Amino acid sequence: MLNQIVLVGRIARDIEIKDTENGKKVSNMTLAVPRSFKNIEGEYETDFLPCVLWDGIATNVNEYCKVGDLVGVKGRVASNVYEKDGQKHYSVEIIVEKVTFLTSNKSKE
C-alpha cells in the first residue's frame, strides 16, 4: 500500500503556528494548486488544499514563507470523520512531511 502525494503550489493564506497541549508545534497551511487542464469555459481552475505541518517543518515554513510563495510539498493524505449537528462529515487534508522552498530569495523584501 502507498499513500504519498507531491504538490507544487502557492501559499494561499497566512500561516499561524500553535502549540499543542503536549508541547508540539502545529500549523495549518492552504496550498493553491492550479489544475493542469482547462474547464468548459476554457479557464484553469485552482484547488485550495488544506495542509497540516508539524514541529520543525511548521517552524521553518512559518519563519521563511509568506502568502504567495511557491513551495513543493511531499506528504500523505489523511481523512477525518467528525459529527456536527448529528450528521457525519468527512474531510481530507495533507499531512506534510517535507517542504521545498521554490520562491527565490531575491523576490523577498
Side-chain angles (χ1 to χ4, degrees), residues 15-50:
I15 301 167
E16 292 184 23
I17 195 163
K18 298 175 187 172
D19 291 311
T20 64
E21 292 175 1
N22 59 2
K24 288 189 171 193
K25 296 192 180 302
V26 64
S27 63
N28 294 307
M29 173 177 76
T30 300
L31 195 63
V33 181
R35 294 183 181 174
S36 61
F37 56 90
K38 294 180 181 180
N39 63 15
I40 194 79
E41 287 88 31
E43 299 172 350
Y44 290 101
E45 294 180 0
T46 301
D47 292 307
F48 293 88
L49 305 170

Side-chain angles (χ1 to χ4, degrees), residues 41-65:
E41 287 88 31
E43 299 172 350
Y44 290 101
E45 294 180 0
T46 301
D47 292 307
F48 293 88
L49 305 170
C51 300
V52 178
L53 301 90
W54 289 95
D55 294 325
I57 296 171
T59 303
N60 287 338
V61 170
N62 187 54
E63 184 175 341
Y64 294 108
C65 295

